[in-house]
Amino acid sequence: MTDQTYQPTLSQLRAFVAIAEYRHFGTAAARLGVSQPTLSQALVALEQGLGLQLIERSTRRVLVTAAGMRLLPQAIATLEAADRFVASAAGDGLGGTLRLGIIPTVAPYVLPTLLPELRRQVPALAPHVIEDQTARLLEGLRTGVLDVAVLALPAESPGLVEIPLYSEEFVLVMPRGHQLAGHTDIATAALDALPLLLLDEGHCLRDQTLELCRAADARPSGVGDTRAASLATVVQCVAGGLGVTLIPEMAVAAETARGTLETARFAAPAPGRTLGLAFRGSTARSDDYEQLAAIIRAQRPK
């Protein structure tokens, strides 16, 4: 039975929400920046105070109980209210902790200029960066583990607001001396039969590339034979002669700087992607996030 005098702490609620999202104590602890024993103690204290089991855990899996699922939306709402309170105390504009999610095909090319600019323009802001794949970022937004996320649009996730940032083209990268190197008007159908290297499953750039191939009725060879967790690894495989790949415009300068690769560009309208900032529609900080979007947009990689 719940002790009616019990008052959960925000740390306990954050522990519960993080575990419910990631279904893994180690991952949840890392996301919150605490030790795993501290996370476990916070959850135990919450469950004992409520007199309810919220999380069912064993050596093999972590599940959210029926009681946990019932209380999870209220826990998220409580954390959002607390964040709004802190933001209001900090005054107008961006300030305080900002849990910023960002997809791996954007983070290495945007953060080197964005983070210093945030320090310059918004010194009261304390960004916590979480790099992850789109599906997990969206889940983090829905469960309150993240405040905002930079990802490819449309996210098409109910309850989220999307602010477009900018669009960019995809560029075909190939080993030096390739027959398509230097071309600026290739058709997407040229992907047919090319040895196309892709990121691993779960990366939106992989899905976008495969969708482009389907739309062009192109059937690249070797798809799935080589897969990598990062764009840098895919590009190194291209440099090693294993195939070709598509990368976003923002990555071209960094990933081809070694001089062992060449590029080709598609005829207009060239395929590409639109990046945006997503956040929960229930937040009271939409004006702050519009400000953040403007800063990110101004720092677009050249």
Side-chain angles (χ1 to χ4, degrees), residues 225-251:
D225 293 345
T226 297
R227 294 185 298 184
S230 73
L231 202 56
T233 300
V234 173
V235 170
Q236 287 304 305
C237 290
V238 172
L242 300 186
V244 302
T245 195
L246 289 180
I247 67 174
E249 178 73 41
M250 68 167 60

Side-chain angles (χ1 to χ4, degrees), residues 84-96 121-125 284-285 287-289 291:
R84 288 196 295 269
F85 175 81
V86 173
S88 297
D92 295 333
L94 282 169
Q121 290 196 39
V122 200
L125 185 68
R285 302 188 67 186
D287 289 344
D288 293 348
Y289 298 154
Q291 180 187 354

